Amino acid sequence: MSPRLSIVIPVYDGRPFLRAAVTSVLAEAMPDLEVIVVDDGSTDGSAETIADLPVTILRRENGGTAAAENTGLAAARGEIVTFLEADDLLVPGGLRVRLDWLERHPEAEAVGGLPMVFLDDVPSSAAPRLPPGIPERLTLDFYRSGAFFPVVTWLYMFRRRLLDRVGPLDPTYRRSSDCDFLFRVLEHTDIPLLRELVVRRRIHAGNHSLRQSAREGIRLCPEGVAEAIAINARYGIVHAEYVPWEIGYLDDA
């Protein structure tokens, strides 16, 4: 019997965090859940930390996050698919709230939730807050208006029929493949946003998408900004400045 839901977790040298990420998913205790961890050529033995857990582990040569996510998508058997970063944590109920919503709305192709960020080995004083500005649903016109909301795969849950139409992530984007993928999704369907926290985003010294300095605090890495600007331009979207959205929803607890 095929699982109802598949969750794909790509990892590259995430040994300190991977087990916590996977156990936060398994804590949902969903019998119809398939967990796929894709080891993208890790050199630190990441996969060994979860060898005793009931998950599928796939190994591949290092090709970047998008390539690893595509490997997981190709193997996923669920009718519905979502993602999680190897250094993040699922909020308790973060899967169920999105899955239940999709089951109540069979016409919907996707649904999203909200991030909650927590700091790990990063001074709190380095983390400015962003205004929420959370829309009822995401559309390309929302982004074209100059507004912003995170364009990351792990906030969203997708039906397989939608993914089959959209196609895989583009691995030529090493930093911002999520941005291109989400805009391609929005060419097919709007994405309703639930007022529910679904993922706790861990900010730490090793985040691949961020840079830290005493003067500027936490900033998106220049390579990621350059990719995002190019991707946005393809879709008629212009932003005057890129800021680290990840620190817009801080968890002070």
Side-chain angles (χ1 to χ4, degrees), residues 65-134:
T65 300
E69 288 180 323
N70 286 339
T71 295
L73 282 176
R77 298 175 295 131
E79 176 189 344
I80 297 170
V81 180
T82 189
F83 302 85
L84 185 68
E85 293 291 295
D87 52 357
D88 294 341
L89 300 172
L90 188 72
V91 171
L95 291 181
R96 178 56 67 185
V97 68
R98 287 174 287 172
L99 182 62
D100 286 352
W101 189 92
L102 284 175
E103 289 180 340
R104 294 194 306 271
H105 299 84
E107 76 289 353
E109 304 272 33
V111 68
L114 306 182
M116 175 64 78
V117 170
F118 68 105
L119 303 177
D120 184 81
D121 297 328
V122 176
S124 295
S125 60
R129 292 176 180 271
L130 301 179
I134 301 168

Side-chain angles (χ1 to χ4, degrees), residues 66 69 169-170 173 175-182 227 231:
E69 288 180 323
L169 289 93
D170 187 342
Y173 295 118
R175 302 280 185 174
S176 300
S177 58
D178 285 17
C179 181
D180 171 72
F181 179 75
L182 190 73
E227 280 192 357
I231 292 167

Side-chain angles (χ1 to χ4, degrees), residues 135-148:
E136 293 291 331
R137 59 180 53 236
L138 293 180
T139 66
L140 280 176
D141 285 343
F142 168 81
Y143 289 101
R144 287 167 178 157
S145 74
F148 187 73

Side-chain angles (χ1 to χ4, degrees), residues 2-6 77-81 158-161:
S2 297
R4 175 75 168 135
L5 172 65
S6 298
R77 298 175 295 131
E79 176 189 344
I80 297 170
V81 180
F158 309 96
R159 293 195 191 275
R160 168 61 72 174
R161 68 192 187 217

Side-chain angles (χ1 to χ4, degrees), residues 136-209:
E136 293 291 331
R137 59 180 53 236
L138 293 180
T139 66
L140 280 176
D141 285 343
F142 168 81
Y143 289 101
R144 287 167 178 157
S145 74
F148 187 73
F149 188 78
V151 285
V152 290
T153 56
W154 40 264
L155 286 182
Y156 308 101
M157 196 169 276
F158 309 96
R159 293 195 191 275
R160 168 61 72 174
R161 68 192 187 217
L162 171 65
L163 297 179
D164 290 343
R165 296 200 305 274
V166 171
L169 289 93
D170 187 342
T172 62
Y173 295 118
R174 299 287 290 192
R175 302 280 185 174
S176 300
S177 58
D178 285 17
C179 181
D180 171 72
F181 179 75
L182 190 73
F183 292 161
R184 283 194 282 128
V185 167
L186 291 175
E187 288 183 316
H188 291 267
T189 182
D190 298 350
I191 303 180
L193 288 178
L194 306 182
R195 273 19 184 205
E196 299 281 353
L197 298 172
V198 295
V199 173
R200 297 187 73 211
R201 173 70 161 136
R202 186 195 301 268
I203 302 297
H204 59 92
N207 284 124
H208 297 303
S209 60

Side-chain angles (χ1 to χ4, degrees), residues 148 209-211 218-225 242-246:
F148 187 73
S209 60
L210 301 178
R211 294 291 183 271
I218 306 172
R219 304 294 295 175
L220 292 171
C221 70
E223 301 91 339
V225 171
Y242 279 81
V243 290
W245 66 264
E246 288 109 323

Side-chain angles (χ1 to χ4, degrees), residues 48-63:
E48 281 67 25
T49 67
I50 57 167
D52 62 318
L53 299 180
V55 303
T56 298
I57 300 174
L58 305 177
R59 301 175 189 268
R60 51 163 293 129
E61 293 184 2
N62 180 254

